[in-house]
């Protein structure tokens, strides 16, 4: 029956991991994967998560199904973290929200909802973005449009081009916006730019669809990273929001996330909630319970929350220190041709190095260093033992 099924291309990021695993060199480094590592290069289970695990084990929960939209004490705490306790729509009980299978699942629910109910059947994505965005948009039956975001000259944001594209789009268009720690570029808008963007959105009556997969990872402070979301909401926008707890709680494989929509009033929220249930029920019926309980335990316990906040700051700070060290090595110690200050300026888990595909290939062949061919590296994979080796070899690859 499947004789005509064509062989599909390999996933770019998973392909990097496969090549890394096959390499037997003790020097090898995998910079492809977007998962935090500690300074010894090991996966990190947050101490707050370990404590929450112990507390849950003592409480002895059963394994019954959750409701279709998930664990209420998790969902409520998740949206409070994103929108802020003082958020008007939160206080007025007009945010429709559901638990999701991490950030990917939130995008899937949100974009499927857009395909059913948003007046336009297309959504604008940044011209460089997480590869799965376009795949999900298409699988939901929407058309992918692009807006300018990447400036190859500065390896930063093409702000003028971005604004021009937002202005040129038909009124009432939907835009997917990375709330913080833009993947892959590691370059966000400044607060002033977000405020300006919001004003253009008002003039154009555009719709903001936020993907916030890294709250806390950019600045180390939840409130600061949520600024764009909170600002648009304060300005009266009915935004959509995808949240993930993969990175900021290190709950990657537990698949903990949330999707929410700000509604005009409670009556609208009730209608939207009913449609979210209709959408989710035939997709996966109801979400997994364990990870949501862990996240709820942390978010709702003042003590664990305090610990978690410090742990997130610790992860963000370690990444920032790696950025500074890498810049210093590339620019000053190894005199690598070009300006490497973007490495220091960028934020979040990734750095978009600007390395060319041939240079990436040379790193794999000559130095056992693996990254995606677009030159993106996970800063979290660098540590005090491998950063010097990495910088030396990047320098060699650039010098050719
Ligand atoms: N959005 C962006 C921009 C991401 O980088 C990621 C993770 N790589 C996600 C969403 C979703 O990740 P997850 O499904 O693991 O939460």
């Amino acid at each position: 029956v499947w004789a005509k099924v064509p062989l599909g291309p390999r996933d770019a990021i998973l392909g990097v991991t496969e090549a890394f695993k096959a390499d037997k060199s003790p020097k090898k480094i995998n910079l492809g994967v977007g998962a935090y590592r500690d300074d010894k290069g090991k996966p990190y289970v947050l101490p707050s998560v370990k404590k929450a695990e112990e507390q849950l084990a003592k409480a002895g929960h059963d394994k019954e199904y959750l409701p279709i939209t998930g664990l209420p004490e998790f969902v409520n705490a998740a949206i409070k973290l994103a929108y802020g306790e003082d958020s008007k729509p939160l206080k007025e009980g007009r945010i429709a929200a559901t638990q999701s299978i991490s950030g990917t699942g939130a995008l899937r629910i949100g974009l499927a909802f857009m395909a059913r109910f948003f007046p336009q059947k297309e959504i604008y994505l940044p011209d460089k973005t997480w590869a799965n965005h376009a795949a999900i948009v298409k699988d939901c039956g929407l058309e992918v449009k692009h807006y300018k975001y990447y400036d190859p000259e500065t390896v930063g944001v093409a702000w003028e081009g971005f604004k021009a594209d937002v202005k040129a789009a038909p009124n009432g268009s939907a835009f997917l916006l990375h709330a913080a720690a833009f993947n892959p570029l590691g370059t966000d808008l400044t607060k002033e730019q977000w405020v300006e963007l919001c004003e253009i959105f008002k003039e154009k009556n555009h719709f903001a669809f936020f993907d916030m997969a890294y709250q806390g990872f950019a600045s180390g402070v939840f409130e600061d990273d949520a600024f764009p979301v909170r600002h648009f909401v304060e300005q009266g926008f009915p935004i959509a929001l995808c949240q993930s707890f993969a990175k900021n709680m290190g709950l990657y494989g537990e698949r903990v996330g949330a999707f929410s929509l700000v509604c005009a009033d409670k009556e609208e929220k009730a209608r939207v909630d009913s449609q979210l249930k209709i959408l989710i029920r035939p997709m996966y019926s109801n979400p997994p319970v364990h990870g949501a309980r862990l996240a709820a335990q942390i978010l709702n316990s003042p003590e664990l929350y305090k610990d978690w906040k410090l742990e997130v700051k610790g992860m963000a700070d370690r990444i920032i220190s790696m950025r500074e060290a890498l810049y210093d090595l590339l620019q000053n110690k190894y005199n690598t041709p070009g300006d490497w200050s973007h490495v220091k300026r960028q934020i979040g888990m990734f750095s978009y190095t600007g390395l060319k595909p041939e240079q990436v290939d040379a790193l794999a062949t000559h130095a056992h260093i693996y990254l995606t061919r677009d030159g993106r590296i996970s800063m979290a994979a660098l540590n005090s033992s491998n950063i010097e080796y990495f910088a030396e070899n990047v320098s060699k690859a650039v010098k050719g």
Side-chain angles (χ1 to χ4, degrees):
V1 258
W2 314 123
K4 295 220 163 63
V5 176
L7 183 69
R10 277 203 313 187
D11 183 275
I13 295 172
L14 299 182
V16 171
T17 302
E18 279 170 32
F20 168 78
K21 279 190 183 154
D23 189 325
K24 296 280 171 276
S25 167
K27 288 185 174 160
K28 66 181 181 176
I29 312 177
N30 182 5
L31 299 153
V33 155
Y36 184 80
R37 298 285 179 261
D38 64 15
D39 197 51
K40 299 214 158 44
K42 294 276 177 283
Y44 177 53
V45 180
L46 275 60
S48 58
V49 169
K50 285 189 183 154
K51 277 191 205 154
E53 292 269 16
E54 285 163 17
Q55 292 175 2
L56 287 186
K58 274 195 200 129
H61 289 283
D62 60 39
K63 300 287 183 193
E64 293 292 289
Y65 290 128
L66 283 178
I68 299 173
T69 51
L71 189 72
E73 50 275 35
F74 161 70
V75 178
N76 292 334
I79 60 175
K80 198 166 92 182
L81 182 77
Y83 293 89
E85 309 196 51
D86 298 329
S87 155
K88 203 159 163 261
L90 190 78
K91 280 185 171 164
E92 292 171 1
R94 55 182 171 89
I95 302 180
T98 177
Q99 188 180 323
S100 64
I101 306 207
S102 211
T104 307
L107 285 157
R108 186 73 198 213
I109 296 167
L111 291 162
F113 187 90
M114 296 286 284
R116 279 192 193 174
F117 300 108
F118 192 70
Q120 299 183 14
K121 298 300 167 217
E122 52 193 34
I123 181 161
Y124 285 80
L125 306 182
D127 58 2
K128 284 236 184 292
T129 195
W130 184 46
N132 223 5
H133 280 151
I136 300 170
V137 167
K138 285 184 208 153
D139 278 0
C140 288
L142 293 168
E143 195 189 329
V144 176
K145 296 269 177 176
H146 289 288
Y147 63 87
K148 184 114 195 87
Y149 193 86
Y150 176 54
D151 178 1
E153 285 294 309
T154 59
V155 202
V157 182
W159 177 229
E160 293 306 320
F162 181 3
K163 283 192 290 184
D165 283 356
V166 172
K167 286 179 188 163
N171 286 357
S173 294
F175 281 75
L176 185 144
L177 303 166
H178 292 235
F182 193 108
N183 172 15
L185 293 176
T187 312
D188 293 337
L189 298 186
T190 61
K191 282 190 179 171
E192 292 69 30
Q193 287 171 331
W194 279 115
V195 170
E196 200 181 335
L197 186 72
C198 187
E199 292 307 308
I200 308 173
F201 267 56
K202 270 188 208 161
E203 282 161 31
K204 296 286 300 182
N205 195 28
H206 285 333
F207 182 78
F209 186 106
F210 280 103
D211 182 6
M212 185 158 65
Y214 298 90
Q215 189 180 2
F217 249 85
S219 65
V221 180
F222 299 121
E223 293 76 10
D224 288 351
D225 284 5
F227 173 80
V229 167
R230 295 184 185 184
H231 181 71
F232 270 68
V233 172
E234 269 164 28
Q235 295 297 307
F237 280 91
I239 65 154
L241 175 66
C242 301
Q243 288 175 258
S244 168
F245 287 87
K247 322 280 164 161
N248 59 13
M249 271 192 194
L251 292 176
Y252 307 94
E254 294 285 0
R255 312 309 287 144
V256 188
F259 175 71
S260 55
L261 284 161
V262 174
C263 301
D265 51 37
K266 281 190 170 164
E267 186 270 335
E268 185 176 287
K269 169 187 168 348
R271 283 185 281 113
V272 168
D273 273 335
S274 75
Q275 291 297 340
L276 286 173
K277 286 182 194 151
I278 289 169
L279 212 147
I280 292 166
R281 180 71 172 148
M283 250 196 234
Y284 55 84
S285 203
N286 49 73
V289 67
H290 184 69
R293 278 200 189 119
L294 283 175
Q297 192 78 5
I298 294 170
L299 293 167
N300 293 316
S301 140
E303 208 178 293
L304 287 185
Y305 183 83
K306 216 169 81 200
D307 292 351
W308 175 52
K309 242 170 94 165
L310 289 175
E311 290 156 14
V312 172
K313 180 93 176 69
M315 290 191 282
D317 285 350
R318 190 184 85 73
I319 292 175
I320 291 167
S321 74
M322 286 296 113
R323 288 187 183 285
E324 278 159 14
L326 182 59
Y327 167 75
D328 197 42
L329 287 166
L330 285 174
Q331 201 79 65
N332 303 328
K333 179 156 183 194
Y334 291 107
N335 291 317
T336 316
D339 174 6
W340 292 88
S341 58
H342 55 276
V343 169
K344 212 165 46 166
R345 259 194 327 268
Q346 290 167 342
I347 43 178
M349 193 175 263
F350 300 104
S351 176
Y352 203 75
T353 56
L355 284 171
K356 310 240 165 11
E358 317 78 79
Q359 296 166 338
V360 171
D361 294 344
L363 282 171
T365 319
H366 303 304
H368 316 278
I369 293 170
Y370 297 90
L371 52 141
T372 43
R373 293 189 89 226
D374 61 358
R376 184 195 83 161
I377 60 170
S378 171
M379 288 305 299
L382 291 177
N383 55 55
S384 42
S385 315
N386 65 15
I387 194 163
E388 174 103 29
Y389 174 75
F390 174 67
E392 186 185 349
N393 282 287
V394 167
S395 196
K396 276 189 200 156
V398 172
K399 286 171 189 161

